[in-house]
Amino acid sequence: MTSTDEKWLEKKISRRSMLKITGASAAGAAVLASGMGGVAKAFGFDILEDDATAQNKVKFYGKHQSGITTDTTTHVYFASLNVLVGSQSELQELFKTWTPLAVRLMNGEQLEEASPGVFTPPDDTGEAAGLDASNLTLTFGVGPSLFANKKFGLSAKRPSELNELPHFPKDQIADQFSGGDICIQACADDPQVAFHAVRNLVRAASGKVTLKWTQTGFTSTPKEKDKKATPRNLFAFKDGTVNPSPKSDIDMNEVVWVQPNESQSWMASGTYLVVRKIQMHLETWDRTSLKAQEDTFGRHRDSGAPIGKKNEFDEVDLDSKDATGNPHISADSHMALARKVKDRILRRGFSYASGLIDETGAYDAGLLFISFQKNPQQFINIQNALGRADKLNEYITHRGSGVFACFPGVQKGSYIGEKLFSAF
Amino acid sequence: MTSTDEKWLEKKISRRSMLKITGASAAGAAVLASGMGGVAKAFGFDILEDDATAQNKVKFYGKHQSGITTDTTTHVYFASLNVLVGSQSELQELFKTWTPLAVRLMNGEQLEEASPGVFTPPDDTGEAAGLDASNLTLTFGVGPSLFANKKFGLSAKRPSELNELPHFPKDQIADQFSGGDICIQACADDPQVAFHAVRNLVRAASGKVTLKWTQTGFTSTPKEKDKKATPRNLFAFKDGTVNPSPKSDIDMNEVVWVQPNESQSWMASGTYLVVRKIQMHLETWDRTSLKAQEDTFGRHRDSGAPIGKKNEFDEVDLDSKDATGNPHISADSHMALARKVKDRILRRGFSYASGLIDETGAYDAGLLFISFQKNPQQFINIQNALGRADKLNEYITHRGSGVFACFPGVQKGSYIGEKLFSAF
């Protein structure tokens, strides 16, 4: 065994003892360690394995990144980073560093070395010790500013569809919640696990990246007859009723996954993430009549049905009229306007309620809107259709914004974003 | 039946149909409705019942308020309110209004009327529809400023131990996270349920109270051999190891519950809540060696054992020395200093990680420290013992502060805080 192999083996032993300490099954580590004479290496970093026995674990490796069509988790910690390094190779190095860490984090492993020196900072910040993988997903993307930065020499690799989002009517976008060279979307069923993941990735890149903005979010999924129901946003309306099914390859290939030749070649099987921090003016909403609320969305609040229909998934008929001959669904309702365009997106929305907005004492609460689409234009078309007319505008303000090209998934032996750097 | 009874019955029917919609068992509502010819009334408000069949439900009525010795939940939404009304009777009215709402919220019920008019705002903001009670607890308290405000005529009822906390060394308390006339601590295993509760209580008191500050928090409890372990804070140290047991009446009567004649008579079976918003400088901490981290707390990070010992609950021996004759536990460690005083408190700490602190890009993260004690002096003594010497001072800054007298529990037929108003 080489000394590198020994070091790797120590790591495995470390994990095993950690598992013992934390009371999780040690079997996982044994399976992992068996049949592997030493750790494979590629691109100068360890190739680690998805732990098939870890509890509540989402796979890291695959055709697509996790956190996009994966089942929605209860929490998100979304982070936007700026890059401080000065060259493409250092940028590449960053993603290589992150790859084995992401595998381990998604395995629910500690990042600890075998015999950590007590005179150095611990390898793992440690607050997730004893917690399981909690369905952690990590989704990495790169923003337009990364391609615009000449020091990285990536301008020829910028997909023509990757541009800062245009200004939409009523936008009040603050720089402190916008943009960024890189995004990391950490979703988990435990807020401490999601935060721990971002904290440790950022820490491992200390001096190479800086946090630009972050936002936590949560979503609560009611059960209906042991079936998961559509979650409600803070306006109490069901959010995601018309989402395409993440389980349908046909839908996902049509809506979400970049197909070969649809964008830059490195983006095949990737997707674009749009994020919007949308403040919801709860105080105003709560003074609004149920009718006006329902007219705003074009749906009934409790059932989620289109106005005039009974059930959430009943077909929307924009021409249906009530007894007095008026249309059930206002032409300037959120739903009617959104349906004017054929574009579809995959939404993964989270609510946030962080505190108060200092000046006003209003809730700092709203929607961390995240959508995935094979082309940001899908989102732009929908947002433009809403335009100034959208009845919802009275109750919301867009405060933050970002668009990121999310790499395809990572194959074992490769690293996050490899195709961006290799496909010249 | 009187028309009031009819109205109440309508409410029950409403709840039943809501339960049907949301798929929860309708049995709960049936049990509730049976055997009650009409709703009892006291003090001019409906006396509602704890729903014995609701899922994941904590009892509202009892000797003590909930959320103090109740099992810790994963989330908290802590709200501090200022009172806008101008007289004691209006203040009293506020707590009367809140009482049946608190019962219903803790039952996981909707606050909806039977046939809500569509031309008025809905009674319930609705975002928790379909979610169960989620072990929601609501803990109400009143701050020193309420007694200082002459318009309420309560100065003679102020417990002499209820005063704004003194300035402690290194404090950087901001007004925007401090004080308040009333606190509501909403704990739940679902962040949406906790937020919903505060939002609806504040809304029901619209124009009568205003939010002063709020803070969310979370805590994640690892399992050790199917037993709940001590949760870790964001410095990865176990938080709450020396907590007295909430299951022990002896401990709670000694540490937490005000005994007759120990304070103002209206406070018997109540307690005092201290809240501190403590920023943790994660970036500095993460650059600190494991040894320095452990010396700071006086404990080993992974096991939680006192330095020099093996297990979390091993007895602390401040005199034990290592092989070179140096004390295992530094005299200026957090633990050694805290142990200089005999005072004990019941801690219910939550972590927060809300975003970034704008100016610096540092994590807006830390500890929402909440403790309960029969006299705020217990907390003050401990905090004074930590003083300037505490090694932990380097890594934390206290940003917010509050102290509140939490009423005793509510008996059926009574209302929150009744004793404060009646015991003249």
Side-chain angles (χ1 to χ4, degrees):
Chain A
M1 279 203 309
T2 66
S3 70
T4 315
D5 290 346
E6 273 163 20
K7 198 172 164 216
W8 173 79
L9 205 62
E10 278 175 35
K11 276 191 198 168
K12 288 294 152 203
I13 292 165
S14 161
R15 192 206 162 197
R16 226 177 308 185
S17 59
M18 179 52 71
L19 282 165
K20 222 190 259 171
I21 290 165
T22 59
S25 156
V31 169
L32 248 163
S34 72
M36 299 174 65
V39 68
K41 289 257 183 194
F43 303 103
F45 62 86
D46 296 351
I47 302 173
L48 299 182
E49 306 262 349
D50 271 318
D51 180 352
T53 65
Q55 296 218 332
N56 300 316
K57 139 101 185 138
V58 176
K59 275 196 179 171
F60 173 78
Y61 295 110
K63 187 174 179 187
H64 309 295
Q65 284 195 77
S66 68
I68 299 165
T69 56
T70 318
D71 285 349
T72 309
T73 56
T74 54
H75 292 81
V76 66
Y77 193 89
F78 184 89
S80 165
L81 285 58
N82 277 340
V83 177
L84 302 176
V85 297
S87 70
Q88 188 183 124
S89 65
E90 287 169 290
L91 180 64
Q92 213 172 340
E93 210 52 51
L94 189 64
F95 287 109
K96 288 182 187 175
T97 305
W98 277 342
T99 302
L101 295 180
V103 178
R104 297 180 77 176
L105 289 165
M106 285 177 57
N107 279 342
E109 289 181 45
Q110 289 289 301
L111 306 177
E112 225 71 80
E113 293 293 328
S115 318
V118 295
F119 297 105
T120 53
D123 297 305
D124 190 304
T125 61
E127 72 271 30
L131 306 175
D132 70 24
S134 305
N135 293 311
L136 176 70
T137 60
L138 293 166
T139 317
F140 296 85
V142 283
S145 55
L146 194 83
F147 296 91
N149 193 327
K150 287 201 175 120
K151 65 186 176 185
F152 300 124
L154 289 168
S155 61
K157 308 298 281 301
R158 184 180 67 79
S160 56
E161 56 273 33
L162 182 68
N163 302 292
E164 298 296 351
L165 294 174
H167 175 87
F168 298 105
K170 305 271 185 174
D171 270 7
Q172 292 187 36
I173 305 295
D175 179 61
Q176 69 182 108
F177 307 124
S178 296
D181 295 333
I182 294 177
C183 77
I184 305 175
Q185 178 200 243
C187 299
D189 285 326
D190 185 315
Q192 194 145 324
V193 168
F195 177 68
H196 169 262
V198 169
R199 179 182 178 188
N200 281 272
L201 290 169
V202 170
R203 180 173 181 245
S206 174
K208 295 169 189 161
V209 298
T210 180
L211 284 164
K212 180 155 192 336
W213 63 287
T214 72
Q215 180 63 52
T216 55
F218 56 87
T219 185
S220 301
T221 303
K223 277 192 195 135
E224 275 176 15
K225 292 171 194 147
D226 298 321
K227 207 180 105 251
K228 281 188 179 178
T230 312
R232 293 179 188 273
N233 61 27
L234 295 183
F235 285 164
F237 278 73
K238 297 187 176 196
D239 195 332
T241 300
V242 297
N243 241 2
S245 169
K247 309 283 180 220
S248 156
D249 285 347
I250 295 172
D251 275 9
M252 291 303 99
N253 286 332
E254 199 179 298
V255 177
V256 173
W257 304 126
V258 174
Q259 303 298 306
N261 306 318
E262 282 186 342
S263 179
Q264 287 266 1
S265 63
W266 64 269
M267 275 297 288
S269 303
T271 184
Y272 293 90
L273 179 157
V274 166
V275 57
R276 306 282 286 183
K277 177 173 174 156
I278 306 174
Q279 188 195 347
M280 292 162 75
H281 304 293
L282 302 187
E283 296 82 357
T284 313
W285 185 257
D286 287 350
R287 286 193 298 266
T288 302
S289 75
L290 181 61
K291 181 165 187 341
Q293 290 184 357
E294 296 190 334
D295 283 345
T296 298
F297 278 101
R299 290 185 176 272
H300 291 296
R301 185 179 84 150
D302 286 353
S303 64
I307 295 180
K309 297 286 177 79
K310 270 189 83 167
N311 298 310
E312 179 182 357
F313 297 103
D314 285 350
E315 212 181 320
V316 176
D317 176 5
L318 295 177
D319 298 325
S320 80
K321 298 197 166 54
D322 65 19
T324 63
N326 291 316
H328 276 120
I329 299 169
S330 308
D332 53 359
S333 66
H334 192 67
M335 183 172 70
L337 291 169
R339 286 188 169 239
K340 282 187 358 195
V341 291
K342 288 271 166 283
D343 298 273
R344 293 197 298 162
I345 56 178
L346 177 67
R347 304 180 47 144
R348 280 169 72 98
F350 295 88
S351 294
Y352 69 90
S354 308
L356 304 180
I357 292 181
D358 308 342
E359 316 90 67
T360 61
Y363 290 109
D364 184 11
L367 182 72
L368 181 66
F369 171 101
I370 295 175
S371 71
F372 293 99
Q373 47 275 310
K374 59 165 64 176
N375 189 326
Q377 196 61 44
Q378 293 160 259
F379 169 81
I380 294 168
N381 290 348
I382 294 171
Q383 200 59 22
N384 278 333
L386 298 171
R388 291 193 176 280
D390 186 4
K391 271 181 188 286
L392 198 53
N393 284 341
E394 197 181 328
Y395 305 101
I396 61 172
T397 305
H398 288 237
R399 300 275 183 204
S401 181
V403 58
F404 299 91
C406 294
F407 309 118
V410 181
Q411 303 303 315
K412 213 174 292 172
S414 181
Y415 61 92
I416 299 158
E418 188 230 331
K419 288 219 168 70
L420 170 61
F421 301 104
S422 66
F424 274 92
Chain B
M1 280 203 307
T2 66
S3 70
T4 315
D5 290 344
E6 273 164 21
K7 197 170 165 215
W8 173 79
L9 206 62
E10 274 176 359
K11 277 191 199 172
K12 287 295 151 200
I13 291 163
S14 161
R15 194 208 160 197
R16 226 177 310 184
S17 60
M18 178 53 71
L19 283 165
K20 222 192 257 169
I21 289 165
T22 60
S25 155
V31 169
L32 247 163
S34 72
M36 300 172 66
V39 68
K41 288 259 184 192
F43 303 101
F45 62 85
D46 295 350
I47 302 173
L48 300 181
E49 305 263 348
D50 272 317
D51 180 352
T53 64
Q55 297 219 332
N56 300 315
K57 139 102 185 137
V58 176
K59 275 196 177 170
F60 173 78
Y61 294 110
K63 186 175 179 187
H64 308 295
Q65 284 195 76
S66 67
I68 299 166
T69 55
T70 317
D71 285 348
T72 310
T73 56
T74 54
H75 291 81
V76 66
Y77 193 89
F78 184 90
S80 164
L81 285 59
N82 277 340
V83 176
L84 302 176
V85 296
S87 69
Q88 188 182 125
S89 64
E90 287 169 291
L91 179 65
Q92 212 173 339
E93 211 51 52
L94 189 63
F95 287 109
K96 288 182 188 175
T97 306
W98 277 342
T99 302
L101 296 180
V103 178
R104 297 180 77 177
L105 289 165
M106 284 177 57
N107 278 343
E109 289 181 45
Q110 289 289 301
L111 306 177
E112 224 71 81
E113 294 292 330
S115 318
V118 296
F119 298 106
T120 52
D123 298 304
D124 191 303
T125 60
E127 72 271 30
L131 306 175
D132 70 24
S134 305
N135 294 310
L136 176 69
T137 61
L138 293 167
T139 317
F140 296 84
V142 284
S145 55
L146 194 82
F147 296 91
N149 194 326
K150 288 201 175 121
K151 65 187 175 185
F152 300 124
L154 289 169
S155 60
K157 307 298 281 301
R158 184 179 66 81
S160 57
E161 56 273 33
L162 183 67
N163 301 293
E164 297 296 352
L165 294 174
H167 176 87
F168 298 105
K170 306 273 185 172
D171 269 8
Q172 292 187 36
I173 304 297
D175 179 62
Q176 70 182 105
F177 307 123
S178 297
D181 295 334
I182 294 176
C183 78
I184 306 175
Q185 177 199 245
C187 299
D189 285 326
D190 186 314
Q192 194 146 324
V193 168
F195 177 69
H196 169 262
V198 169
R199 179 182 178 188
N200 281 273
L201 291 169
V202 170
R203 180 173 182 247
S206 175
K208 295 171 188 157
V209 297
T210 179
L211 283 164
K212 180 155 191 339
W213 63 287
T214 72
Q215 180 62 52
T216 55
F218 56 87
T219 184
S220 301
T221 303
K223 277 191 195 137
E224 275 176 15
K225 292 171 192 146
D226 298 323
K227 208 180 105 252
K228 281 188 179 178
T230 311
R232 292 179 189 275
N233 62 27
L234 294 183
F235 285 164
F237 278 72
K238 297 189 175 193
D239 196 330
T241 300
V242 297
N243 241 2
S245 169
K247 309 283 179 220
S248 156
D249 285 347
I250 295 172
D251 275 9
M252 292 303 97
N253 286 333
E254 198 179 299
V255 177
V256 173
W257 304 126
V258 174
Q259 304 298 305
N261 305 319
E262 282 186 341
S263 179
Q264 287 265 0
S265 63
W266 63 270
M267 274 298 288
S269 303
T271 185
Y272 292 89
L273 179 155
V274 166
V275 56
R276 306 283 286 182
K277 177 174 173 154
I278 305 174
Q279 187 194 348
M280 293 161 76
H281 304 293
L282 302 186
E283 297 80 0
T284 313
W285 185 257
D286 287 349
R287 287 193 296 267
T288 302
S289 74
L290 180 61
K291 181 163 186 344
Q293 290 185 357
E294 297 190 334
D295 283 345
T296 298
F297 278 101
R299 289 184 177 273
H300 290 297
R301 185 179 83 151
D302 286 355
S303 64
I307 295 180
K309 296 285 176 79
K310 271 189 82 168
N311 299 310
E312 179 182 356
F313 296 103
D314 284 350
E315 214 182 317
V316 176
D317 176 5
L318 295 177
D319 297 325
S320 80
K321 298 197 166 53
D322 65 19
T324 63
N326 291 315
H328 275 120
I329 299 168
S330 308
D332 52 359
S333 67
H334 192 68
M335 184 174 68
L337 291 169
R339 285 187 170 240
K340 282 189 355 196
V341 292
K342 289 270 165 283
D343 297 275
R344 292 196 299 162
I345 56 178
L346 177 67
R347 305 180 46 145
R348 282 169 70 98
F350 294 89
S351 295
Y352 68 91
S354 308
L356 304 180
I357 292 181
D358 306 342
E359 317 90 66
T360 61
Y363 290 110
D364 184 11
L367 182 71
L368 182 66
F369 170 101
I370 295 174
S371 70
F372 295 97
Q373 47 276 308
K374 60 165 65 175
N375 189 327
Q377 196 62 43
Q378 293 161 257
F379 169 80
I380 295 169
N381 290 347
I382 294 172
Q383 199 60 22
N384 277 334
L386 298 171
R388 290 194 177 279
D390 187 3
K391 271 181 188 285
L392 197 54
N393 284 342
E394 197 181 328
Y395 305 102
I396 61 173
T397 305
H398 287 238
R399 301 274 184 206
S401 181
V403 58
F404 299 90
C406 294
F407 309 118
V410 180
Q411 304 303 316
K412 213 174 293 173
S414 181
Y415 61 92
I416 299 159
E418 188 230 329
K419 288 219 168 69
L420 170 62
F421 301 104
S422 65
F424 275 91

